[in-house]
């Protein structure tokens, strides 16, 4: 009963090495296409996948120093909701590649890299029980 659209900036600009991290806009748009309100839990139910130009998954690391509970979202019939979380692009020590860091809001961070200049595809994965309210 939900439609999903992933949105991310079309071009990630790589400034000179050692100039810190660049913020990246990553959003998941959720549309309730049913005639009933639906509950979308946001705690450990979604994440991202990054693939290189040939379709190969980019290696990921994961960690959580502490756990933050995130509230579920009730999406009314026909309504849309935008889930926006923090993401960054950070230079690696080699000065030639970067690491993409995604924060899901629960205290977790996922890292993808190393990323060199090129084309990549970003998509979301999602797991939920699909309960209506």
């Amino acid at each position: 009963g939900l439609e999903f659209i992933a949105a991310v900036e079309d071009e990630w600009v790589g400034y000179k090495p050692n100039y810190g991290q660049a913020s990246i806009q990553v959003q998941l748009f959720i549309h309730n296409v049913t005639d009933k309100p639906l509950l979308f839990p946001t705690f450990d139910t979604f994440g991202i996948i990054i693939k290189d130009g040939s379709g190969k998954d980019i290696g990921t690391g994961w960690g959580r120093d502490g756990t933050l509970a995130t509230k579920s979202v009730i999406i009314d019939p026909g309504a849309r909701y935008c889930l926006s979380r923090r993401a960054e692009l950070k230079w690696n020590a080699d000065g030639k590649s970067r690491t993409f860091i995604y924060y899901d809001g629960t205290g977790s961070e996922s890292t993808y890299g190393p990323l060199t200049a090129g084309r990549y595809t970003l998509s979301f994965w999602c797991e939920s029980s699909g309960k209506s309210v």
Side-chain angles (χ1 to χ4, degrees):
L2 296 174
E3 287 181 341
F4 297 92
I5 298 173
V8 65
E9 293 175 84
D10 187 38
E11 186 174 341
W12 300 349
V13 178
Y15 298 102
K16 292 182 181 180
N18 303 321
Y19 279 85
Q21 298 178 174
S23 180
I24 303 292
Q25 294 297 314
V26 177
Q27 298 174 323
L28 178 62
F29 293 92
I30 307 167
H31 179 205
N32 181 353
V33 295
T34 72
D35 60 354
K36 296 181 181 180
L38 292 177
L39 182 69
F40 181 77
T42 63
F43 185 79
D44 287 349
T45 58
F46 67 94
I48 63 170
I49 298 167
I50 298 180
K51 296 184 179 195
D52 68 13
S54 65
K56 180 182 173 193
D57 282 349
I58 300 298
T60 183
W62 180 87
R64 181 184 282 162
D65 289 338
T67 299
L68 303 170
T70 56
K71 294 181 179 182
S72 296
V73 177
I74 297 174
I75 305 172
D76 288 329
R80 290 174 167 79
Y81 180 80
C82 178
L83 187 63
S84 185
R85 297 290 195 245
R86 192 172 117 212
E88 298 171 333
L89 208 50
K90 179 181 174 183
W91 280 105
N92 293 327
D94 64 9
K96 298 177 183 177
S97 64
R98 299 184 81 171
T99 297
F100 182 90
I101 307 164
Y102 181 74
Y103 305 90
D104 73 357
T106 68
S108 293
E109 69 179 58
S110 299
T111 58
Y112 303 82
L115 303 174
T116 56
R119 293 187 146 307
Y120 295 89
T121 301
L122 183 145
S123 59
F124 278 86
W125 62 264
C126 180
E127 293 180 13
S128 180
S129 65
K131 295 179 183 175
S132 57
V133 291

